Amino acid sequence: MSPLPRKLAVGRRGAPAEQHGRSAAPEARRPPSESAANGSRLVVLGSGGDPANLTLGSLASRGACALALSVALGAVVAPCAFADPGSQPPPGSQPPSGDAPPSAAEPPVELPEVVVRVPAATPGATPTAAATIVPADRYAGEAKGVAELLAASPGVEVTRYGTRGQLATVQIRGVAAEGVKVLVDGLPLGSVGGGIDLETIPRAWIGRIDVVRGPSAAALGAGALGGAVNVVTRDADAGGASGEVTGGSFGTYSASTEGAARVGTFTAFAAATAETTRGSFPYVSYTTPDLPGTGEELTRENNAARRAGLLVKLGGLVGDLRLDALAHASAGRRELPGAPPWNLTPDDWSEDGRALAMVRLAGTPAPGIRISGRLHGRADVLDERLAGLGVVRQHGGAGGAALEARLTHPGGAATLGIEGGGEGYASDALGGTRTRTTIATSLTEAWRAIPGRLQLEPTVRTERTGPFGGVSAKLGAALELGGGLLLRASAGRTYRVPSFAELYLQQGLLIPNPDLRPETGTGVDAALAYDGALGVASVGGHATIYDEVITYEPATNGRFTPYNTGRALASGLEAEAATAPAPRLLGLSLQAAYTFLHTEFLQAPTGVLGNALPRRPRQRLQARASFAPGRFGAHVEARVVRDTWVNRMNTKPVPDETVFSAGAFVRVLSHPHLAVHVEVENLADVRTLQDGYGQPLPGRTVMVTLRAGTTPQPTQGER
């Protein structure tokens, strides 16, 4: 697997991006007043390099014609130059200094007009990938967790099941949460192919989120059917400390603290967080949605949640080797309210816990050769009290090792990887203890077909997990066209084995199915990207055929069961743009992400054939405008979601939603840093919102945050 990524920054020569009034995120790469790097050429990456910015995939309708049309459409983000520690950059770029991966404290690599702090490898992210980076410090002080930050990426849909603290999952390009691999610092959470609850990752830990969509995720192997989300945890300068407290609607409170210190040749970082919510909120239920005036105002009860977490990181040099270690633990309890109005569960609850640890060692034994090894382990606990089942206790864990070797050659770089491990769970529902092993090998070649202009990247990965085995493969290409334009395309095949959870475990609303078969996906995507004086923009298309698709269908007592439902198509259009028209006058910045997704059952029973897949919105728009002229600032956001079905018969729609949110901050002190933030979600107090399963969502939510520290995250006015 890939080593731990580190913080990146893009800005003018000699200073971090945050000091120049713009984000290090690819969605706000450069204000229009600043031209692209003079004479900059595409810096091609090895297999583990960081993503090239806002490259998206999508397709407005099915077939190759629509894909070609969408690619010909418009302007997309050219990737910012990233250099891979193990590969030779092309002429015109500045190579990283030294063989060991640089730490966040080391000086950045300087390119013409651009400064890049070279990160270590980000899983699955290359110039040929449809990838987006979402930096948490762009939203510093705002009460946004993983679920909210992911909304900034096109092709992504997050499903919430209530207030903060309740279950939240992510889809990518129409693939359900079980087909999206979620990682923390490159380490997979949950079992292979298992959907991850985003709320189990404390928001105070987030440094940035890397999103990889479509065929490029094939390099990550089984489980990344639709894509992958990598949460990169925060770092801090040695000697710094900060903390924040938040309070708001529905009895919601949280507190976090963090600090870093130098320990010999190592830098140690620690963060702790705790949060709680009463969770009860009013909503309007329509027993007859088509008849106006039939709504009844109810209160969502038994909806409380609380969670705590601890994160520790250590990194430094041991002789000529780079050592990185990470450990984190989190635990929480949430009440399970059931499905109103008839299937309420006032006595149900869920308790979960996770502990994860990793040690990674990397070095360069000879020029052009880089080797890294990793050991990791994880323990999981999930206990639930469910109506009709009583208390269900489910405990398990996983462990493994990975070895990667990267060879730089005149034409590019080749990377060979091998992984092995096992996982096991014990539960009465499993009939005792079940275990399975995984072994995988991968080979990636990053070939500079035209140095500085064209990179080709084939990847193949073989994997076997328990009784399931398969091959994932991808071929990607990235071509710099000049004038800030980049064209990228990829095609690939991947698969996903059913997770322990889907096969055997009771999970609140979800009932297992031991007869599930692996899903497979074969798809293509392409995009044109622009990064220049006007800002950044992107448009692209994608199309994928999925076989043995697993979807959740209504079962008894308001719960849902997964089934293989045949063959399905997912195609669409993804577009995003960002600009900073007045960065020095008002600190004004604008950004938007749009997704059009067409899904269709190609093989299914009568009444389902030709229908859209359930809980996949056809259209989603996320837009944001912010300004920060000095010590204060504000932002406004809009979210529009259209055309979603609850069931595969397409007889029960999810109400369309248009939700506006806003926030503001005041920086009281600069040294030490002290700022107050106010955020209001759902300004219009719409109380008829529902999740993808028809469960109610809260109305207006107000959160107030006080943040203080000696090494603050930048506020909007400082980015």
Side-chain angles (χ1 to χ4, degrees):
M1 285 296 292
S2 305
L4 293 179
R6 270 177 292 283
K7 192 173 182 180
L8 60 91
V10 178
R12 292 181 177 174
R13 183 185 300 271
E18 292 86 348
Q19 297 178 14
H20 294 284
R22 61 187 179 276
S23 167
E27 69 269 19
R29 180 67 61 193
R30 182 182 295 109
S33 59
E34 180 182 341
S35 62
N38 296 330
S40 292
R41 305 174 67 187
L42 173 67
V43 177
V44 296
L45 311 180
S47 64
D50 247 84
N53 324 307
L54 281 189
T55 48
L56 330 177
S58 311
L59 171 65
S61 61
R62 59 174 124 163
C65 292
L67 176 64
L69 178 62
S70 66
V71 172
L73 286 178
V76 209
V77 183
C80 152
F82 288 94
D84 183 271
S87 63
Q88 295 292 331
S93 67
Q94 177 76 24
S97 59
D99 291 329
S103 69
E106 293 177 4
V109 176
E110 293 191 6
L111 302 176
E113 299 293 334
V114 178
V115 173
V116 176
R117 183 158 296 156
V118 179
T122 297
T126 76
T128 68
T132 300
I133 301 174
V134 182
D137 60 12
R138 181 177 178 81
Y139 308 89
E142 300 176 26
K144 286 180 166 60
V146 177
E148 291 79 16
L149 294 177
L150 284 173
S153 172
V156 172
E157 174 63 20
V158 173
T159 300
R160 276 201 167 278
Y161 299 83
T163 52
R164 299 174 188 273
Q166 293 292 339
L167 177 68
T169 61
V170 60
Q171 302 176 17
I172 295 182
R173 290 186 175 175
V175 176
E178 291 74 19
V180 176
K181 183 167 283 190
V182 178
L183 311 98
V184 170
D185 288 322
L187 299 179
L189 301 181
S191 63
V192 175
I196 297 300
D197 179 3
L198 302 178
E199 284 295 301
T200 63
I201 305 173
R203 63 183 178 89
W205 294 0
I206 306 169
R208 74 171 193 264
I209 301 177
D210 301 338
V211 183
V212 180
R213 303 180 295 276
S216 294
L220 296 172
L225 190 67
V229 172
N230 184 38
V231 179
V232 182
T233 55
R234 288 175 39 73
D235 285 314
D237 295 331
S242 61
E244 69 177 40
V245 292
T246 300
S249 300
F250 318 125
T252 302
Y253 303 95
S254 67
S256 66
T257 184
E258 63 194 44
R262 194 76 179 171
V263 183
T265 60
F266 290 86
T267 299
F269 172 79
T273 181
E275 52 191 309
T276 182
T277 180
R278 188 176 65 252
S280 297
F281 63 86
Y283 67 97
V284 176
S285 175
Y286 286 92
T287 54
T288 311
D290 296 332
L291 297 179
T294 61
E296 178 184 6
E297 183 157 312
L298 303 173
T299 299
R300 187 69 154 162
E301 301 286 1
N302 195 45
N303 197 47
R306 58 180 182 268
R307 179 165 300 279
L310 177 65
L311 168 70
V312 178
K313 298 172 69 172
L314 185 70
L317 297 177
V318 180
D320 294 331
L321 302 178
R322 170 77 191 190
L323 175 67
D324 288 289
L326 170 133
H328 70 71
S330 66
R333 176 187 171 94
R334 61 167 63 112
E335 297 172 344
L336 304 176
W342 300 287
N343 294 311
L344 300 178
T345 54
D347 300 319
D348 286 8
W349 49 263
S350 172
E351 294 179 345
D352 67 84
R354 176 190 299 129
L356 184 148
M358 181 276 300
V359 176
R360 175 184 170 270
L361 198 62
T364 304
I369 299 176
R370 182 167 185 78
I371 297 177
S372 64
R374 187 197 71 206
L375 296 174
H376 70 273
R378 190 190 73 247
D380 299 299
V381 175
L382 178 62
D383 295 343
E384 296 182 320
R385 193 278 180 193
L386 304 174
L389 296 175
V391 177
V392 180
R393 302 190 184 280
Q394 302 164 145
H395 301 176
L403 183 65
E404 182 179 273
R406 182 174 299 139
L407 171 65
T408 301
H409 55 79
T415 304
L416 174 66
I418 182 169
E419 300 177 42
E423 61 179 341
Y425 285 86
S427 170
D428 291 339
L430 297 174
T433 301
R434 291 181 182 266
T435 61
R436 62 184 183 185
T437 59
T438 296
I439 187 167
T441 60
S442 63
L443 178 63
T444 297
E445 168 65 30
W447 177 44
R448 296 188 294 270
I450 305 176
R453 308 291 288 184
L454 174 64
Q455 175 167 319
L456 300 178
E457 185 172 300
T459 297
V460 62
R461 178 183 172 106
T462 63
E463 191 162 356
R464 186 163 191 84
T465 300
F468 307 108
V471 176
S472 299
K474 168 230 171 181
L475 176 62
L479 174 64
E480 184 182 336
L481 302 177
L485 292 175
L486 177 86
L487 178 66
R488 66 138 200 93
S490 60
R493 177 193 185 276
T494 188
Y495 73 103
R496 180 181 79 84
V497 304
S499 68
F500 267 114
E502 293 171 307
L503 293 169
Y504 309 115
L505 301 184
Q506 296 286 343
Q507 300 180 96
L509 294 174
L510 309 180
I511 299 174
N513 180 355
D515 298 322
L516 292 175
R517 300 177 298 277
E519 296 177 290
T520 62
T522 303
V524 296
D525 69 12
L528 182 66
Y530 168 78
D531 183 353
L534 299 178
V536 295
S538 164
V539 66
H542 70 88
T544 302
I545 298 292
Y546 297 104
D547 288 298
E548 300 291 358
V549 175
I550 296 175
T551 61
Y552 280 82
E553 296 301 315
T556 59
N557 297 323
R559 295 193 173 94
F560 296 82
T561 301
Y563 295 98
N564 291 103
T565 54
R567 169 175 284 195
L569 166 73
S571 60
L573 173 71
E574 296 166 355
E576 58 188 332
T579 185
R584 292 174 178 82
L585 178 61
L586 295 173
L588 178 65
S589 65
L590 307 171
Q591 66 181 82
Y594 172 75
T595 301
F596 175 88
L597 179 66
H598 170 78
T599 62
E600 181 181 346
F601 284 107
L602 302 180
Q603 291 179 358
T606 303
V608 177
L609 184 65
N611 289 352
L613 274 65
R615 294 174 293 281
R616 276 77 169 178
R618 180 178 290 266
Q619 298 187 73
R620 184 179 72 85
L621 172 67
Q622 185 84 14
R624 176 183 173 103
S626 62
F627 74 95
R631 300 177 68 90
F632 67 93
H635 71 271
V636 62
E637 296 178 341
R639 182 179 75 250
V640 180
V641 181
R642 295 284 185 269
D643 307 325
T644 310
W645 298 97
V646 174
N647 58 0
R648 60 178 180 163
M649 300 296 290
N650 289 180
T651 57
K652 184 179 180 182
V654 176
D656 292 343
E657 67 176 71
T658 300
V659 177
F660 294 94
S661 303
F665 76 89
V666 175
R667 189 170 63 250
V668 181
L669 296 174
S670 296
H671 303 288
H673 176 83
L674 179 64
V676 179
H677 301 253
V678 178
E679 188 173 5
V680 184
E681 297 181 9
N682 194 351
L683 280 169
D685 196 23
V686 179
R687 299 189 180 188
T688 57
L689 299 178
Q690 297 180 4
D691 63 27
Y693 291 89
Q695 312 300 311
L697 294 174
R700 184 184 299 118
T701 303
V702 180
M703 305 296 290
V704 179
T705 299
L706 175 66
R707 182 169 182 84
T710 57
T711 55
Q713 296 181 19
T715 62
Q716 293 175 35
E718 297 169 312
R719 284 189 290 273

